[in-house]
Amino acid sequence: MIVWHGTNVSNITEFFKFSHFGTFNSAYIRSGIYSDKKYMYRCKIDKTNFVEIIDYGNEMNEFGHDLFNQNIISSNDLKLVNRKIFEKDYDMWKNNLFQILRDKGIFGFYYFNVAEGKGDVSYIVTDPADVVILEVFERSKAYDIYG
């Protein structure tokens, strides 16, 4: 599936764990929040084994509770990815959540945007190796071609 990522970074070779991707429209809106140069990455992902999650805006610390409420993770798992861990050690939280999800065969999330591109479906990919960068454009050029 073709997805987009909007950013102010021109030379990404590999995305971070839990990077966000979406429609051209939502990535274009997202990239517009930066005051300096803006870039659009056209990428390919395989959305197999993605689970739905609620869009909390930028509140990723709620992911653990959302997954627990959906019976996707256990209470023991939740102890490793709760809000306290998120706030105390974000890298540990990311690594814990990554491992828990991989052990369950889950490779990412999809959600319906409440902010950029409201209502558009967006994706969070757990492993940067699962993202293929196809093209990089300056924001205005991307709009001229795909907008």
Side-chain angles (χ1 to χ4, degrees):
M1 151 176 254
I2 302 299
V3 292
W4 290 86
H5 181 83
T7 183
N8 62 344
V9 180
S10 66
N11 60 348
I12 295 173
T13 56
E14 185 174 87
F15 287 94
F16 295 116
K17 287 179 182 174
F18 299 99
S19 289
H20 293 236
F21 300 87
T23 63
F24 177 85
N25 182 53
S26 30
Y28 188 80
I29 292 168
R30 171 97 177 140
S31 67
I33 66 172
Y34 300 109
S35 59
D36 50 359
K37 259 192 167 170
K38 303 150 179 103
Y39 298 92
M40 300 279 293
Y41 285 75
R42 186 172 170 263
C43 303
K44 183 178 178 182
I45 64 169
D46 178 357
K47 63 178 185 161
T48 305
N49 294 331
F50 276 43
V51 296
E52 185 174 354
I53 199 158
I54 296 170
D55 183 7
Y56 294 98
N58 286 328
E59 304 301 324
M60 288 176 59
N61 63 356
E62 294 295 330
F63 286 0
H65 292 278
D66 193 353
L67 294 168
F68 175 74
N69 290 338
Q70 293 184 60
N71 296 314
I72 293 171
I73 67 171
S74 69
S75 58
N76 286 335
D77 293 335
L78 181 57
K79 291 175 186 174
L80 300 171
V81 294
N82 63 32
R83 285 183 211 107
K84 287 181 182 178
I85 300 291
F86 181 93
E87 291 164 4
K88 182 178 177 183
D89 190 337
Y90 178 64
D91 287 331
M92 181 192 312
W93 177 88
K94 272 196 313 192
N95 290 330
N96 289 348
L97 185 57
F98 174 81
Q99 194 58 55
I100 290 166
L101 294 172
R102 283 294 162 148
D103 289 348
K104 295 178 181 307
I106 297 170
F107 299 102
F109 308 111
Y110 68 93
Y111 59 93
F112 296 92
N113 266 312
V114 297
E116 310 94 15
K118 190 172 182 174
D120 288 350
V121 177
S122 288
Y123 302 89
I124 299 172
V125 180
T126 57
D127 189 344
D130 294 337
V131 178
V132 177
I133 298 171
L134 301 174
E135 300 174 281
V136 182
F137 299 95
E138 285 191 19
R139 184 173 185 258
S140 59
K141 183 166 177 122
Y143 186 82
D144 290 343
I145 297 169
Y146 292 98

